[in-house]
Amino acid sequence: MVELRNITKDMMTVVEGSYAVAHATKVCKPNVISAYPITPQTHIVEELSQFIADGEIENCDYINVESEFSALSTLVGSSATGARTYSSTTSQGLALMHEVLFNASGMRLPIVVTVVNRALSAPINIWNDQQDSVSERDSGWIQLYAEDVQEAADMVAQAYKVGEDPDVMLPVMVCMDGFLLSHVYEPVVLLEEDLIDDYLLPFDPKYKLDPKDPKTFGAFAPPASYTEFRYAQEQAMSAALDKIEKAADDFYDVFGRYYGGLIDEYKTDDADIIIMAKGSIIGTIRDVIDNLRENGVKVGLLKVRALRPFPKDAIKEVVKDSSVVITLDKNISPGVNEGALCTETKACMYNSDINVPVIGYMIGLGGRDIPEDTIENIVDEAKEVINSGISTESQFTDLREDLI
Amino acid sequence: MKEIRVHGRGGQGSVTAAELLAIAAFSDGKFSQAFPSFGVERRGAPVQAFTRIGDKPIRLRSQIYEPDYVIVQDPTLIDIVDVAHGMDENGIVIINSDFNPEDFNLDTDAKIMTVDATKIALDVIGRPIVNTILLGAFAGATDEINPESIKEAVKERFPGKIGDKNAEAVQKAYDMIREGNK
């Protein structure tokens, strides 16, 4: 199934992306919200504070804190008692949560955090790329990436559905590009309050902190048992692969909107060239593909929704008959000269009978705009790879030679 | 699809103008998208905001390089920003100014129109805030949007008397542009 949206215009309203996400969060009935404001996440938590002040979210506390470290620590304690919890952050704020991220995933607490993706300092930069969340890919959190405002909002509900599944019990980052999605006004269907109970069950974990039945979370695990905790986490990630697909299918059944499960495809059936990417760049890529298809270029899109768990089998299935794969990454691992999709896509094909060349591009770093021309030029370079093989495996896009 | 770029200075409400345009276009039955140029917000610094209006859902998320229309809130920007950059001869540049269009020597084949939005603002609203007024001029100059939809969007954003005054000023700018182009 490819993207399907049964939407009529009378269902939609034009709002800012941050509002749509805050509204969706409200509809999911969290019990505890804790966050620290930081650009470009600020509007989300402002809207949520307003909802709380107006008494629009029942049984919910908004706990003010002095840092992101405390915000997530607050949610760790809250979630362990069986509360549904939410936060949102970005960039340096997510980096400050780093230590607590591992506590949340290790204690198997299905906290949901909207990461409004932004570059990391230094040099200081408030604009969008995805270095912040990609840098946390080993933290044991499920990571989902949204293409537009509608998906970013609906994904909050899907995140609770997946994270709180008894076979998963993992925290989830819903990643949306800063400014590009958080500050855009566009038509959306605000998540339907009257349908949510058909989709999301109340959170009722098997184990919770309760004075009447005392337990300890995240206590001591010596060498004799620590490995098995890590193994269980990996098993949960593995279970999440199917659960993410099911959460997307169930969402379609209840709300009539589908954005793909682990991945989505666009015009890949006969594609020689497949562009892989995640986040708000997907919309621009769809337009580029439509233009190039008119000129006979067989190009398609593989949209990655889940970076963790990484959908190796789904990706291999899509790319196996293509001639070249382009990965577009708004992040880099310095010293590898590659972004995450490039490295991981190559890795998942090794030891298989698929041997498709992969070329990687670091793009849109620190908010640099991505015009259609830039992607068209990359597709031209991919055509050269089909004809004469790889000359440059991975590179920066639109480098300004005058500054180097 | 039509692409609109709003040039202003921080604090003049360029982003709000772009957003209200998107809201009004949607209530006209179109799809729309509005976003700021993501500058570091400083009062007085040159800023840009963008709106796209189309018959289909808008997927493109790049900034706007070849606008169909440009709105300039502050004519002093013209000395420091190439406001008509990327426009062709079918484009229209709407400038807030009491000068005539021919007084502006822009490097473009696009049509230039002026409206003294600051005077309308001072007369009707009592403050020199011109963002909503220029949307009235935009509706009059381009026929891309129903002025009633702009007035509705303005009144919803600014409830009460201030919204009513703004709507009145929107209509006045619309009428003036229409009058000047008979």
Side-chain angles (χ1 to χ4, degrees):
Chain A
M1 191 156 80
V2 294
E3 176 175 295
L4 278 169
R5 300 191 189 193
N6 300 333
I7 295 173
T8 55
K9 290 184 76 178
D10 60 338
M11 299 159 68
M12 303 176 101
T13 174
V14 177
V15 295
E16 192 186 47
S18 293
Y19 180 84
V21 168
H23 171 88
T25 302
K26 174 179 83 169
V27 168
C28 290
K29 302 177 194 168
N31 305 114
V32 178
I33 299 170
S34 188
Y36 191 79
I38 176 170
T39 301
Q41 154 264 38
T42 319
H43 292 184
I44 293 177
V45 295
E46 282 175 356
E47 299 287 0
L48 284 169
S49 316
Q50 189 69 53
F51 290 146
I52 295 280
D54 293 345
E56 289 186 38
I57 316 182
E58 283 178 29
N59 303 319
C60 184
D61 282 330
Y62 188 112
I63 300 177
N64 280 312
V65 286
E66 90 303 342
S67 73
E68 287 85 358
F69 187 96
S70 295
L72 192 57
S73 298
T74 299
L75 298 190
V76 164
S78 307
S79 182
T81 69
R84 180 171 286 164
T85 55
Y86 178 85
S87 189
S88 179
T89 191
T90 178
S91 183
Q92 312 304 123
L94 183 62
L96 190 55
M97 286 181 178
H98 176 76
E99 180 182 332
V100 194
L101 292 175
F102 286 74
N103 290 332
S105 62
M107 291 187 220
R108 310 290 298 276
L109 302 171
I111 299 162
V112 171
V113 171
T114 297
V115 177
V116 184
N117 288 113
R118 169 187 143 180
L120 281 163
S121 300
I124 192 163
N125 176 296
I126 59 164
W127 292 269
N128 165 248
D129 66 29
Q130 296 170 349
Q131 191 69 54
D132 50 359
S133 55
V134 169
S135 297
E136 302 296 348
R137 72 190 132 148
D138 291 341
S139 65
W141 285 55
I142 291 170
Q143 286 195 3
L144 307 175
Y145 288 79
E147 161 179 3
D148 59 17
V149 171
Q150 187 74 65
E151 187 177 15
D154 291 349
M155 217 176 230
V156 174
Q158 296 188 2
Y160 283 116
K161 182 91 165 175
V162 173
E164 292 174 0
D165 189 292
D167 294 336
V168 178
M169 290 298 286
L170 288 172
V172 185
M173 290 181 201
V174 174
C175 304
M176 66 188 291
D177 283 333
F179 291 113
L180 292 161
L181 296 186
S182 61
H183 286 57
V184 71
Y185 272 66
E186 62 186 23
V188 289
V189 183
L190 294 174
L191 186 63
E192 296 90 335
E193 207 151 8
D194 55 332
L195 297 177
I196 195 69
D197 290 342
D198 296 337
Y199 182 70
L200 212 52
L201 297 171
F203 178 43
D204 185 22
K206 191 171 169 189
Y207 304 106
K208 54 182 135 181
L209 285 183
D210 181 352
K212 287 181 230 132
D213 179 19
K215 286 184 192 66
T216 298
F217 276 60
F220 191 69
S225 59
Y226 181 85
T227 300
E228 285 65 33
F229 279 93
R230 300 297 272 168
Y231 176 77
Q233 252 180 293
E234 179 54 40
Q235 293 295 102
M237 273 286 180
S238 184
L241 288 165
D242 284 344
K243 302 292 182 179
I244 291 167
E245 296 281 3
K246 188 168 185 314
D249 292 343
D250 289 353
F251 194 89
Y252 178 73
D253 290 341
V254 175
F255 297 96
R257 300 189 288 275
Y258 181 82
Y259 313 95
L262 294 160
I263 61 163
D264 190 30
E265 296 173 62
Y266 185 63
K267 302 192 176 178
T268 50
D269 278 352
D270 63 342
D272 295 326
I273 301 167
I274 289 181
I275 306 175
M276 272 179 80
K278 61 192 189 330
S280 68
I281 193 178
I282 296 292
T284 304
I285 295 172
R286 288 181 194 271
D287 271 12
V288 168
I289 286 173
D290 285 354
N291 294 338
L292 291 174
R293 283 265 170 187
E294 280 178 22
N295 298 319
V297 183
K298 288 187 179 173
V299 55
L301 162 73
L302 195 169
K303 162 178 155 178
V304 176
R305 291 185 84 230
L307 184 68
R308 285 293 180 275
F310 194 60
K312 298 178 188 176
D313 291 340
I315 289 169
K316 282 192 280 190
E317 187 58 31
V318 174
V319 304
K320 67 178 178 2
D321 297 322
S322 66
S323 303
V324 59
V325 174
I326 297 165
T327 55
L328 303 181
D329 275 295
K330 289 185 175 181
N331 63 88
I332 178 175
S333 179
V336 186
N337 193 33
E338 290 175 4
L341 286 182
C342 181
T343 304
E344 302 200 356
T345 301
K346 285 192 298 176
C348 79
M349 285 197 269
Y350 200 81
N351 292 336
S352 80
D353 52 7
I354 303 165
N355 188 14
V356 181
V358 176
I359 49 171
Y361 292 83
M362 278 73 76
I363 193 168
L365 302 184
R368 181 159 300 177
D369 195 39
I370 306 169
E372 289 168 284
D373 294 356
T374 293
I375 298 171
E376 283 166 9
N377 291 339
I378 289 171
V379 171
D380 282 341
E381 291 180 7
K383 288 181 198 163
E384 286 303 307
V385 171
I386 297 175
N387 294 331
S388 40
I390 291 178
S391 57
T392 307
E393 191 176 33
S394 179
Q395 59 190 296
F396 285 78
T397 310
D398 289 346
L399 268 185
R400 281 183 59 185
E401 298 296 339
D402 59 318
L403 292 182
I404 299 171
Chain B
M1 184 168 68
K2 299 293 182 187
E3 297 186 309
I4 300 111
R5 192 167 66 207
V6 182
H7 289 274
R9 291 183 181 277
Q12 290 183 329
S14 302
V15 177
T16 301
E19 291 165 2
L20 291 173
L21 198 52
I23 291 168
F26 184 74
S27 59
D28 267 3
K30 304 276 183 53
F31 285 95
S32 58
Q33 173 199 64
F35 57 101
S37 70
F38 324 137
V40 178
E41 291 82 356
R42 290 162 297 160
R43 191 165 280 272
V47 298
Q48 295 177 29
F50 309 98
T51 305
R52 291 190 169 98
I53 300 173
D55 295 325
K56 291 191 291 184
I58 291 157
R59 307 182 295 194
L60 182 63
R61 297 205 183 267
S62 69
Q63 295 186 12
I64 290 174
Y65 298 96
E66 295 175 349
D68 297 283
Y69 307 110
V70 161
I71 296 172
V72 182
Q73 301 216 63
D74 183 339
T76 65
L77 282 170
I78 288 169
D79 297 332
I80 49 173
V81 180
D82 183 4
V83 294
H85 190 79
M87 299 187 84
D88 66 18
E89 68 279 5
N90 300 314
I92 301 177
V93 184
I94 300 161
I95 305 172
N96 168 30
S97 172
D98 57 351
F99 285 32
N100 294 317
E102 49 274 21
D103 296 330
F104 289 94
N105 185 24
L106 298 187
D107 181 21
T108 181
D109 295 326
K111 182 179 178 182
I112 299 169
M113 301 176 81
T114 57
V115 60
D116 193 354
T118 304
K119 182 172 189 309
I120 298 174
L122 290 171
D123 288 351
V124 180
I125 306 169
R127 292 174 60 204
I129 305 291
V130 299
N131 58 344
T132 57
I133 299 168
L134 287 165
L135 298 183
F138 174 83
T142 66
D143 273 331
E144 293 289 350
I145 204 148
N146 184 338
E148 294 305 319
S149 303
I150 290 176
K151 284 151 70 178
E152 273 172 43
V154 164
K155 285 199 266 191
E156 197 177 313
R157 176 67 68 98
F158 307 107
K161 207 169 169 184
I162 185 75
D164 293 341
K165 288 281 182 197
N166 270 273
E168 187 187 331
V170 165
Q171 185 66 47
K172 199 163 179 182
Y174 177 86
D175 293 340
M176 279 175 74
I177 279 272
R178 288 284 166 154
E179 196 64 32
N181 285 281
K182 269 180 184 165

mmCIF file of all heavy atoms in Angstrom, chain A residues 256-292:
data_model
loop_
_atom_site.group_PDB
_atom_site.id
_atom_site.type_symbol
_atom_site.label_atom_id
_atom_site.label_comp_id
_atom_site.label_asym_id
_atom_site.label_seq_id
_atom_site.Cartn_x
_atom_site.Cartn_y
_atom_site.Cartn_z
ATOM 1 N N GLY A 256 -8.445 6.915 8.142
ATOM 2 C CA GLY A 256 -8.433 7.063 6.678
ATOM 3 C C GLY A 256 -7.196 7.722 6.126
ATOM 4 O O GLY A 256 -7.221 8.241 5.003
ATOM 5 N N ARG A 257 -6.116 7.740 6.914
ATOM 6 C CA ARG A 257 -4.881 8.350 6.407
ATOM 7 C C ARG A 257 -3.729 7.367 6.586
ATOM 8 O O ARG A 257 -3.564 6.771 7.649
ATOM 9 C CB ARG A 257 -4.581 9.662 7.162
ATOM 10 C CG ARG A 257 -5.690 10.690 7.024
ATOM 11 C CD ARG A 257 -5.309 12.049 7.585
ATOM 12 N NE ARG A 257 -5.245 12.107 9.029
ATOM 13 C CZ ARG A 257 -6.290 12.320 9.839
ATOM 14 N NH1 ARG A 257 -7.502 12.460 9.333
ATOM 15 N NH2 ARG A 257 -6.138 12.382 11.147
ATOM 16 N N TYR A 258 -2.933 7.226 5.518
ATOM 17 C CA TYR A 258 -1.816 6.280 5.531
ATOM 18 C C TYR A 258 -0.611 6.932 4.887
ATOM 19 O O TYR A 258 -0.728 7.528 3.821
ATOM 20 C CB TYR A 258 -2.207 5.016 4.756
ATOM 21 C CG TYR A 258 -1.123 3.958 4.731
ATOM 22 C CD1 TYR A 258 -0.951 3.096 5.797
ATOM 23 C CD2 TYR A 258 -0.278 3.836 3.633
ATOM 24 C CE1 TYR A 258 0.049 2.135 5.778
ATOM 25 C CE2 TYR A 258 0.728 2.872 3.607
ATOM 26 C CZ TYR A 258 0.885 2.024 4.685
ATOM 27 O OH TYR A 258 1.876 1.069 4.660
ATOM 28 N N TYR A 259 0.537 6.846 5.550
ATOM 29 C CA TYR A 259 1.750 7.517 5.059
ATOM 30 C C TYR A 259 2.871 6.530 4.788
ATOM 31 O O TYR A 259 4.022 6.934 4.683
ATOM 32 C CB TYR A 259 2.243 8.518 6.116
ATOM 33 C CG TYR A 259 1.155 9.392 6.671
ATOM 34 C CD1 TYR A 259 0.499 9.051 7.848
ATOM 35 C CD2 TYR A 259 0.767 10.543 5.994
ATOM 36 C CE1 TYR A 259 -0.515 9.849 8.341
ATOM 37 C CE2 TYR A 259 -0.248 11.342 6.483
ATOM 38 C CZ TYR A 259 -0.885 10.988 7.660
ATOM 39 O OH TYR A 259 -1.894 11.766 8.145
ATOM 40 N N GLY A 260 2.553 5.252 4.718
ATOM 41 C CA GLY A 260 3.577 4.228 4.717
ATOM 42 C C GLY A 260 3.712 3.678 6.131
ATOM 43 O O GLY A 260 3.186 4.258 7.088
ATOM 44 N N GLY A 261 4.384 2.510 6.235
ATOM 45 C CA GLY A 261 4.621 1.919 7.550
ATOM 46 C C GLY A 261 6.050 2.232 7.963
ATOM 47 O O GLY A 261 6.350 3.322 8.413
ATOM 48 N N LEU A 262 6.940 1.266 7.758
ATOM 49 C CA LEU A 262 8.364 1.518 8.007
ATOM 50 C C LEU A 262 8.931 2.425 6.923
ATOM 51 O O LEU A 262 9.802 3.246 7.170
ATOM 52 C CB LEU A 262 9.122 0.190 8.021
ATOM 53 C CG LEU A 262 8.751 -0.749 9.170
ATOM 54 C CD1 LEU A 262 9.161 -2.169 8.839
ATOM 55 C CD2 LEU A 262 9.403 -0.279 10.463
ATOM 56 N N ILE A 263 8.416 2.211 5.715
ATOM 57 C CA ILE A 263 8.828 3.025 4.559
ATOM 58 C C ILE A 263 7.588 3.366 3.749
ATOM 59 O O ILE A 263 6.500 2.853 4.022
ATOM 60 C CB ILE A 263 9.817 2.251 3.640
ATOM 61 C CG1 ILE A 263 9.142 0.984 3.094
ATOM 62 C CG2 ILE A 263 11.103 1.919 4.374
ATOM 63 C CD1 ILE A 263 9.829 0.390 1.897
ATOM 64 N N ASP A 264 7.746 4.223 2.762
ATOM 65 C CA ASP A 264 6.721 4.418 1.744
ATOM 66 C C ASP A 264 7.440 4.474 0.401
ATOM 67 O O ASP A 264 8.641 4.745 0.344
ATOM 68 C CB ASP A 264 5.939 5.707 2.002
ATOM 69 C CG ASP A 264 4.701 5.822 1.114
ATOM 70 O OD1 ASP A 264 4.128 4.765 0.751
ATOM 71 O OD2 ASP A 264 4.316 6.953 0.768
ATOM 72 N N GLU A 265 6.700 4.180 -0.654
ATOM 73 C CA GLU A 265 7.299 4.194 -1.992
ATOM 74 C C GLU A 265 6.506 5.118 -2.891
ATOM 75 O O GLU A 265 5.299 5.271 -2.738
ATOM 76 C CB GLU A 265 7.223 2.791 -2.617
ATOM 77 C CG GLU A 265 8.015 1.742 -1.906
ATOM 78 C CD GLU A 265 7.730 0.365 -2.495
ATOM 79 O OE1 GLU A 265 8.015 0.156 -3.690
ATOM 80 O OE2 GLU A 265 7.197 -0.498 -1.760
ATOM 81 N N TYR A 266 7.206 5.735 -3.840
ATOM 82 C CA TYR A 266 6.551 6.566 -4.842
ATOM 83 C C TYR A 266 7.215 6.309 -6.192
ATOM 84 O O TYR A 266 8.408 6.559 -6.354
ATOM 85 C CB TYR A 266 6.674 8.045 -4.443
ATOM 86 C CG TYR A 266 5.927 9.016 -5.326
ATOM 87 C CD1 TYR A 266 4.539 8.969 -5.430
ATOM 88 C CD2 TYR A 266 6.603 9.989 -6.048
ATOM 89 C CE1 TYR A 266 3.846 9.874 -6.219
ATOM 90 C CE2 TYR A 266 5.922 10.899 -6.844
ATOM 91 C CZ TYR A 266 4.540 10.833 -6.931
ATOM 92 O OH TYR A 266 3.866 11.728 -7.729
ATOM 93 N N LYS A 267 6.464 5.730 -7.109
ATOM 94 C CA LYS A 267 6.934 5.476 -8.486
ATOM 95 C C LYS A 267 8.220 4.650 -8.525
ATOM 96 O O LYS A 267 9.123 4.912 -9.312
ATOM 97 C CB LYS A 267 7.090 6.800 -9.238
ATOM 98 C CG LYS A 267 5.772 7.587 -9.277
ATOM 99 C CD LYS A 267 5.765 8.745 -10.231
ATOM 100 C CE LYS A 267 4.363 9.383 -10.253
ATOM 101 N NZ LYS A 267 4.273 10.553 -11.122
ATOM 102 N N THR A 268 8.296 3.647 -7.658
ATOM 103 C CA THR A 268 9.511 2.823 -7.610
ATOM 104 C C THR A 268 9.424 1.589 -8.515
ATOM 105 O O THR A 268 10.453 0.964 -8.774
ATOM 106 C CB THR A 268 9.776 2.314 -6.173
ATOM 107 O OG1 THR A 268 8.572 1.723 -5.681
ATOM 108 C CG2 THR A 268 10.213 3.437 -5.260
ATOM 109 N N ASP A 269 8.204 1.236 -8.966
ATOM 110 C CA ASP A 269 8.013 -0.056 -9.639
ATOM 111 C C ASP A 269 9.014 -0.320 -10.763
ATOM 112 O O ASP A 269 9.610 -1.391 -10.819
ATOM 113 C CB ASP A 269 6.588 -0.155 -10.194
ATOM 114 C CG ASP A 269 5.615 -0.567 -9.095
ATOM 115 O OD1 ASP A 269 6.113 -0.901 -8.001
ATOM 116 O OD2 ASP A 269 4.393 -0.553 -9.325
ATOM 117 N N ASP A 270 9.199 0.655 -11.636
ATOM 118 C CA ASP A 270 10.086 0.449 -12.782
ATOM 119 C C ASP A 270 11.339 1.325 -12.668
ATOM 120 O O ASP A 270 12.023 1.575 -13.652
ATOM 121 C CB ASP A 270 9.341 0.803 -14.077
ATOM 122 C CG ASP A 270 8.940 2.268 -14.101
ATOM 123 O OD1 ASP A 270 8.928 2.895 -13.011
ATOM 124 O OD2 ASP A 270 8.662 2.815 -15.186
ATOM 125 N N ALA A 271 11.619 1.813 -11.449
ATOM 126 C CA ALA A 271 12.649 2.854 -11.306
ATOM 127 C C ALA A 271 14.058 2.290 -11.451
ATOM 128 O O ALA A 271 14.424 1.292 -10.819
ATOM 129 C CB ALA A 271 12.499 3.553 -9.964
ATOM 130 N N ASP A 272 14.871 2.956 -12.292
ATOM 131 C CA ASP A 272 16.301 2.664 -12.363
ATOM 132 C C ASP A 272 17.022 3.363 -11.209
ATOM 133 O O ASP A 272 17.985 2.852 -10.664
ATOM 134 C CB ASP A 272 16.897 3.196 -13.680
ATOM 135 C CG ASP A 272 16.327 2.477 -14.880
ATOM 136 O OD1 ASP A 272 16.050 1.267 -14.758
ATOM 137 O OD2 ASP A 272 16.149 3.121 -15.936
ATOM 138 N N ILE A 273 16.537 4.583 -10.913
ATOM 139 C CA ILE A 273 17.177 5.410 -9.886
ATOM 140 C C ILE A 273 16.209 5.541 -8.711
ATOM 141 O O ILE A 273 15.053 5.925 -8.905
ATOM 142 C CB ILE A 273 17.501 6.807 -10.447
ATOM 143 C CG1 ILE A 273 18.431 6.700 -11.659
ATOM 144 C CG2 ILE A 273 18.089 7.712 -9.367
ATOM 145 C CD1 ILE A 273 18.556 7.989 -12.460
ATOM 146 N N ILE A 274 16.671 5.215 -7.526
ATOM 147 C CA ILE A 274 15.812 5.365 -6.339
ATOM 148 C C ILE A 274 16.447 6.371 -5.385
ATOM 149 O O ILE A 274 17.619 6.244 -5.021
ATOM 150 C CB ILE A 274 15.583 4.007 -5.645
ATOM 151 C CG1 ILE A 274 14.671 3.154 -6.550
ATOM 152 C CG2 ILE A 274 14.953 4.202 -4.260
ATOM 153 C CD1 ILE A 274 14.342 1.804 -6.011
ATOM 154 N N ILE A 275 15.666 7.390 -5.036
ATOM 155 C CA ILE A 275 16.125 8.390 -4.067
ATOM 156 C C ILE A 275 15.597 7.998 -2.699
ATOM 157 O O ILE A 275 14.397 7.811 -2.516
ATOM 158 C CB ILE A 275 15.601 9.801 -4.425
ATOM 159 C CG1 ILE A 275 15.959 10.170 -5.878
ATOM 160 C CG2 ILE A 275 16.153 10.829 -3.446
ATOM 161 C CD1 ILE A 275 15.366 11.505 -6.333
ATOM 162 N N MET A 276 16.508 7.861 -1.737
ATOM 163 C CA MET A 276 16.122 7.547 -0.355
ATOM 164 C C MET A 276 16.315 8.777 0.509
ATOM 165 O O MET A 276 17.354 9.431 0.438
ATOM 166 C CB MET A 276 17.028 6.450 0.211
ATOM 167 C CG MET A 276 16.577 5.048 -0.047
ATOM 168 S SD MET A 276 17.773 3.901 0.670
ATOM 169 C CE MET A 276 17.282 3.927 2.385
ATOM 170 N N ALA A 277 15.329 9.086 1.337
ATOM 171 C CA ALA A 277 15.450 10.238 2.226
ATOM 172 C C ALA A 277 14.409 10.112 3.328
ATOM 173 O O ALA A 277 13.587 9.188 3.326
ATOM 174 C CB ALA A 277 15.252 11.543 1.456
ATOM 175 N N LYS A 278 14.447 11.045 4.272
ATOM 176 C CA LYS A 278 13.458 11.069 5.335
ATOM 177 C C LYS A 278 13.174 12.518 5.732
ATOM 178 O O LYS A 278 14.039 13.391 5.599
ATOM 179 C CB LYS A 278 13.915 10.243 6.545
ATOM 180 C CG LYS A 278 15.198 10.715 7.191
ATOM 181 C CD LYS A 278 15.673 9.659 8.169
ATOM 182 C CE LYS A 278 16.818 10.058 9.061
ATOM 183 N NZ LYS A 278 17.789 11.004 8.609
ATOM 184 N N GLY A 279 11.954 12.780 6.181
ATOM 185 C CA GLY A 279 11.602 14.122 6.637
ATOM 186 C C GLY A 279 10.992 14.980 5.542
ATOM 187 O O GLY A 279 10.500 14.486 4.528
ATOM 188 N N SER A 280 11.053 16.294 5.747
ATOM 189 C CA SER A 280 10.280 17.218 4.903
ATOM 190 C C SER A 280 10.829 17.359 3.493
ATOM 191 O O SER A 280 10.154 17.906 2.616
ATOM 192 C CB SER A 280 10.256 18.601 5.564
ATOM 193 O OG SER A 280 11.540 19.177 5.540
ATOM 194 N N ILE A 281 12.037 16.864 3.246
ATOM 195 C CA ILE A 281 12.590 16.903 1.891
ATOM 196 C C ILE A 281 11.780 16.013 0.944
ATOM 197 O O ILE A 281 11.817 16.178 -0.271
ATOM 198 C CB ILE A 281 14.085 16.468 1.905
ATOM 199 C CG1 ILE A 281 14.763 16.804 0.578
ATOM 200 C CG2 ILE A 281 14.230 15.006 2.241
ATOM 201 C CD1 ILE A 281 16.248 16.462 0.537
ATOM 202 N N ILE A 282 11.022 15.080 1.524
ATOM 203 C CA ILE A 282 10.266 14.117 0.716
ATOM 204 C C ILE A 282 9.297 14.818 -0.239
ATOM 205 O O ILE A 282 9.158 14.431 -1.402
ATOM 206 C CB ILE A 282 9.478 13.141 1.640
ATOM 207 C CG1 ILE A 282 10.432 12.300 2.491
ATOM 208 C CG2 ILE A 282 8.542 12.254 0.826
ATOM 209 C CD1 ILE A 282 11.257 11.300 1.754
ATOM 210 N N GLY A 283 8.626 15.863 0.240
ATOM 211 C CA GLY A 283 7.655 16.565 -0.612
ATOM 212 C C GLY A 283 8.322 17.144 -1.844
ATOM 213 O O GLY A 283 7.820 16.998 -2.975
ATOM 214 N N THR A 284 9.461 17.788 -1.646
ATOM 215 C CA THR A 284 10.199 18.368 -2.775
ATOM 216 C C THR A 284 10.647 17.266 -3.729
ATOM 217 O O THR A 284 10.561 17.416 -4.953
ATOM 218 C CB THR A 284 11.412 19.164 -2.247
ATOM 219 O OG1 THR A 284 10.934 20.151 -1.327
ATOM 220 C CG2 THR A 284 12.153 19.854 -3.373
ATOM 221 N N ILE A 285 11.090 16.138 -3.168
ATOM 222 C CA ILE A 285 11.524 15.017 -4.020
ATOM 223 C C ILE A 285 10.356 14.517 -4.872
ATOM 224 O O ILE A 285 10.527 14.202 -6.060
ATOM 225 C CB ILE A 285 12.099 13.863 -3.161
ATOM 226 C CG1 ILE A 285 13.370 14.311 -2.442
ATOM 227 C CG2 ILE A 285 12.388 12.637 -4.028
ATOM 228 C CD1 ILE A 285 13.884 13.303 -1.419
ATOM 229 N N ARG A 286 9.169 14.441 -4.299
ATOM 230 C CA ARG A 286 8.004 13.978 -5.079
ATOM 231 C C ARG A 286 7.781 14.884 -6.297
ATOM 232 O O ARG A 286 7.515 14.401 -7.408
ATOM 233 C CB ARG A 286 6.746 13.972 -4.212
ATOM 234 C CG ARG A 286 6.716 12.870 -3.155
ATOM 235 C CD ARG A 286 5.403 12.947 -2.353
ATOM 236 N NE ARG A 286 5.428 12.165 -1.137
ATOM 237 C CZ ARG A 286 5.073 10.869 -1.059
ATOM 238 N NH1 ARG A 286 4.659 10.234 -2.128
ATOM 239 N NH2 ARG A 286 5.127 10.239 0.098
ATOM 240 N N ASP A 287 7.886 16.206 -6.094
ATOM 241 C CA ASP A 287 7.722 17.135 -7.217
ATOM 242 C C ASP A 287 8.815 16.929 -8.265
ATOM 243 O O ASP A 287 8.543 16.930 -9.471
ATOM 244 C CB ASP A 287 7.757 18.595 -6.715
ATOM 245 C CG ASP A 287 6.367 19.102 -6.322
ATOM 246 O OD1 ASP A 287 5.442 18.265 -6.217
ATOM 247 O OD2 ASP A 287 6.208 20.323 -6.128
ATOM 248 N N VAL A 288 10.057 16.752 -7.804
ATOM 249 C CA VAL A 288 11.173 16.537 -8.734
ATOM 250 C C VAL A 288 10.938 15.268 -9.549
ATOM 251 O O VAL A 288 11.143 15.238 -10.769
ATOM 252 C CB VAL A 288 12.510 16.457 -7.960
ATOM 253 C CG1 VAL A 288 13.633 15.951 -8.860
ATOM 254 C CG2 VAL A 288 12.867 17.816 -7.378
ATOM 255 N N ILE A 289 10.475 14.207 -8.871
ATOM 256 C CA ILE A 289 10.240 12.939 -9.566
ATOM 257 C C ILE A 289 9.161 13.107 -10.642
ATOM 258 O O ILE A 289 9.317 12.633 -11.770
ATOM 259 C CB ILE A 289 9.870 11.834 -8.550
ATOM 260 C CG1 ILE A 289 11.127 11.414 -7.787
ATOM 261 C CG2 ILE A 289 9.228 10.632 -9.246
ATOM 262 C CD1 ILE A 289 10.879 10.450 -6.646
ATOM 263 N N ASP A 290 8.092 13.804 -10.314
ATOM 264 C CA ASP A 290 7.035 14.015 -11.315
ATOM 265 C C ASP A 290 7.582 14.761 -12.531
ATOM 266 O O ASP A 290 7.264 14.412 -13.674
ATOM 267 C CB ASP A 290 5.866 14.795 -10.702
ATOM 268 C CG ASP A 290 5.028 13.918 -9.779
ATOM 269 O OD1 ASP A 290 5.284 12.699 -9.713
ATOM 270 O OD2 ASP A 290 4.099 14.455 -9.127
ATOM 271 N N ASN A 291 8.417 15.783 -12.291
ATOM 272 C CA ASN A 291 9.005 16.535 -13.408
ATOM 273 C C ASN A 291 9.917 15.659 -14.248
ATOM 274 O O ASN A 291 9.853 15.675 -15.476
ATOM 275 C CB ASN A 291 9.815 17.737 -12.884
ATOM 276 C CG ASN A 291 8.935 18.771 -12.207
ATOM 277 O OD1 ASN A 291 7.728 18.820 -12.466
ATOM 278 N ND2 ASN A 291 9.516 19.579 -11.336
ATOM 279 N N LEU A 292 10.782 14.888 -13.576
ATOM 280 C CA LEU A 292 11.739 14.058 -14.311
ATOM 281 C C LEU A 292 11.044 12.931 -15.064
ATOM 282 O O LEU A 292 11.458 12.558 -16.165
ATOM 283 C CB LEU A 292 12.789 13.486 -13.345
ATOM 284 C CG LEU A 292 13.759 14.509 -12.741
ATOM 285 C CD1 LEU A 292 14.648 13.831 -11.699
ATOM 286 C CD2 LEU A 292 14.622 15.159 -13.820
#
